[in-house]
Amino acid sequence: MQRTFLLSSLGITLALGACASSAQANTEITWWHAMGGALGDKVDQIAADFNASQDEYVVNPVFKGNYTETMTSAIAAFRAGKAPQIVQIYEVGTATMMSAKGAIVPVYQLMANANVDFDPSAYLPAVAGYYTDPEGRMLSMPFNSSTPVTYVNRDILEKAGIDELPDTWQGLGNVLEKVVDSGAAECGLTTTWPSWVMLENYSARNDIPFASQANGFEGLDARLKFNQTAVVDHIQRLEEWQQDGRFAFGGRKDEAAPKFYSGECAMMMASSASYAGVRENASFDFGVAPLPYDADVIDTPNNTIIGGASLWVLDGASEAQEKGSAQFFEYLSSPEVQADWHQFTGYLPITEAAAELTREQGFYAKNPGTEVAIKQMTGSTPTENSKGLRLGNMVQIRDVINGALEKIFAGEVGVQSGLDRAVEQGNALLDQFQNANS
């Protein structure tokens, strides 16, 4: 009996040891991200579903704070030799990541090394183009991409006697005038993220350069040009509209949203990913429309450009971790996962297949307006002016631009002088970036 018990115990021990060895055999991949709250819960679910779909890899998502904090933490960890394998970096950090020589494994190389099928043409061109090099090779994996759209308070428009929205800024001016003059609302239009919407996307939408060197895609010697283009006239138009109530400046980020939620302003330009927030906060019938284009500049509008973030693989991972990262990216890009992410968050689906699946599932029909961003992004082939921005120190440049806009709309400086100063300060930041990375 004693011998039988010992053998039995040994068998249990060996079995437990085998299980432990099997569990330890799983390759762990750490993913640092900036998605808090419900978005963070969704990220956890995506990772858990991937982990359950196979038994070779375990992706461990870790929330590291906002975009800036996540990027700063990743850079510090890489220098200390303790970097995660995957990190989420917002779009304005793309140039910085590209210039971090030896710090990244480009996605096109990652997928090839892992023998994972990878077709860049499957991704929305305006999304994939933002994260490619001059040869068109994808450097990071698009994840949460958004683009600005126009949210409208239909109740206010009906009160003002407006049946439909025009496609142009010129026509929009007339509509906003009716809104204010009729007393339907005290403010016609506001915007979140004014640099992104009113300068960066205005330039892309109307096919004018924001900066030289194809907005930075063709070299570190790119310099800002928006003080020499129709952007000046556009900001002048908004400044004049603010004086008669057609426009209200609401802050640098999303501080303007309450102006729309409260009914103070009839319209708001904001991220397509704001759809859920608008739905939650609006006590009125709302709609979604594309960003207008400037009829004095272009006859047919370009696509707008994206915001959001992509996933980068940092150098230093083991071969197994890199292979697992490639497998995870393939899973993440699948139509089912992307359609679910898109429908849950309001971010764009990164592939044509995910958009088509969402359409087949009836999501767009049940949620009018959610397809506007897709059509806006896919309605034209991106040009060098609408492919995106590849500028170093872009976070600081946006701060400079938003600071200039604050002074312009406060009446402290003129439009031209304010934008000239922003370009001067922004170009100094670009010069610093070029010198540090040449």
Side-chain angles (χ1 to χ4, degrees):
M1 288 180 62
Q2 185 178 26
R3 181 174 179 274
T4 302
F5 175 76
L6 288 172
L7 287 174
S8 177
S9 297
L10 180 61
I12 292 172
T13 302
L14 289 173
L16 289 174
C19 290
S21 297
S22 176
Q24 291 170 359
N26 287 339
T27 299
E28 296 204 357
I29 299 163
T30 301
W31 172 20
W32 286 4
H33 66 86
M35 302 274 92
L39 292 177
D41 294 339
K42 192 66 174 177
V43 164
D44 290 343
Q45 179 192 325
I46 290 172
D49 289 346
F50 169 73
N51 295 340
S53 72
Q54 44 72 52
D55 57 9
E56 292 184 69
Y57 311 103
V58 174
V59 172
N60 298 313
V62 180
F63 175 64
K64 297 298 289 186
N66 62 33
Y67 282 138
T68 302
E69 292 166 343
T70 301
M71 182 172 174
T72 301
S73 297
I75 292 172
F78 179 80
R79 290 171 177 166
K82 299 179 180 179
Q85 285 70 58
I86 301 173
V87 60
Q88 181 187 26
I89 301 292
Y90 55 168
E91 92 283 8
V92 293
T94 301
T96 298
M97 296 300 291
M98 283 185 63
S99 299
K101 297 178 177 63
I104 66 164
V105 179
V107 161
Y108 74 88
Q109 181 181 318
L110 176 86
M111 304 302 260
N113 291 347
N115 293 316
V116 172
D117 289 337
F118 180 60
D119 180 11
S121 66
Y123 298 81
L124 298 179
V127 173
Y130 207 110
Y131 302 114
T132 57
D133 65 11
E135 287 73 43
R137 300 174 300 187
M138 197 176 295
L139 303 173
S140 60
M141 177 60 64
F143 178 50
N144 56 305
S145 296
S146 58
T147 199
V149 293
T150 306
Y151 294 94
V152 300
N153 183 322
R154 287 196 179 117
D155 294 345
I156 290 177
L157 296 187
E158 182 179 357
K159 185 178 178 181
I162 298 164
D163 297 324
E164 59 182 293
L165 283 181
D167 297 326
T168 67
W169 278 101
Q170 287 73 16
L172 184 62
N174 296 330
V175 164
L176 296 176
E177 186 176 18
K178 289 182 180 179
V179 167
V180 175
D181 288 351
S182 68
E186 62 179 273
C187 155
L189 169 70
T190 190
T191 188
T192 61
W193 300 95
S195 174
W196 183 52
V197 177
M198 295 301 181
L199 278 83
E200 299 164 40
N201 272 281
Y202 173 85
S203 297
R205 188 75 162 148
N206 294 288
D207 202 22
I208 54 181
F210 183 82
S212 62
Q213 293 290 62
N215 287 339
F217 273 79
E218 296 180 359
L220 293 176
D221 56 340
R223 295 298 180 264
L224 302 174
K225 296 181 66 174
F226 56 76
N227 65 328
Q228 306 168 33
T229 70
V231 164
V232 178
D233 296 328
H234 178 57
I235 301 303
Q236 183 67 54
R237 169 169 50 216
L238 294 179
E239 195 275 333
E240 292 171 358
W241 286 4
Q242 178 161 272
Q243 295 179 27
D244 62 24
R246 283 183 284 178
F247 176 73
F249 182 78
R252 296 187 177 198
K253 297 181 179 180
D254 55 6
E255 300 92 339
K259 290 181 178 292
F260 181 67
Y261 298 154
S262 67
E264 176 184 343
C265 294
M267 303 180 198
M268 174 180 70
M269 292 179 179
S271 168
S272 56
S274 298
Y275 186 90
V278 172
R279 183 175 54 196
E280 180 179 348
N281 288 281
S283 59
F284 48 81
D285 183 24
F286 74 90
V288 185
L291 285 193
Y293 65 92
D294 196 323
D296 292 335
V297 179
I298 197 170
D299 293 327
T300 304
N302 273 8
N303 60 282
T304 48
I305 57 178
I306 62 172
S310 64
L311 304 183
W312 294 78
V313 174
L314 298 182
D315 194 32
S318 68
E319 182 178 345
Q321 287 174 322
E322 288 193 3
K323 186 174 181 179
S325 297
Q327 296 282 353
F328 177 57
F329 285 173
E330 182 182 39
Y331 174 84
L332 194 64
S333 298
S334 66
E336 294 77 14
V337 173
Q338 271 301 306
D340 178 64
W341 171 254
H342 163 53
Q343 293 172 34
F344 179 83
T345 64
Y347 284 110
L348 297 167
I350 60 174
T351 65
E352 302 278 5
E356 182 58 32
L357 178 59
T358 299
R359 191 173 297 110
E360 291 174 358
Q361 292 172 340
F363 179 79
Y364 297 135
K366 296 174 185 175
N367 299 273
T370 52
E371 196 173 13
V372 167
I374 306 296
K375 292 179 177 178
Q376 183 173 278
M377 292 291 284
T378 59
S380 63
T381 301
T383 70
E384 69 174 29
N385 293 324
S386 66
K387 187 178 181 180
L389 306 178
R390 185 66 56 75
L391 302 172
N393 287 331
M394 189 59 198
V395 177
Q396 297 93 319
I397 289 172
R398 273 190 181 164
D399 285 340
V400 165
I401 292 171
N402 286 324
L405 293 176
E406 286 176 344
K407 291 183 177 180
I408 289 170
F409 291 117
E412 297 176 12
V413 297
V415 172
Q416 185 68 64
S417 60
L419 296 181
D420 285 345
R421 179 59 176 156
V423 165
E424 179 184 352
Q425 293 177 312
N427 283 341
L429 290 165
L430 289 172
D431 190 57
Q432 291 173 12
F433 187 82
Q434 182 183 5
N435 291 336
N437 293 281
S438 297

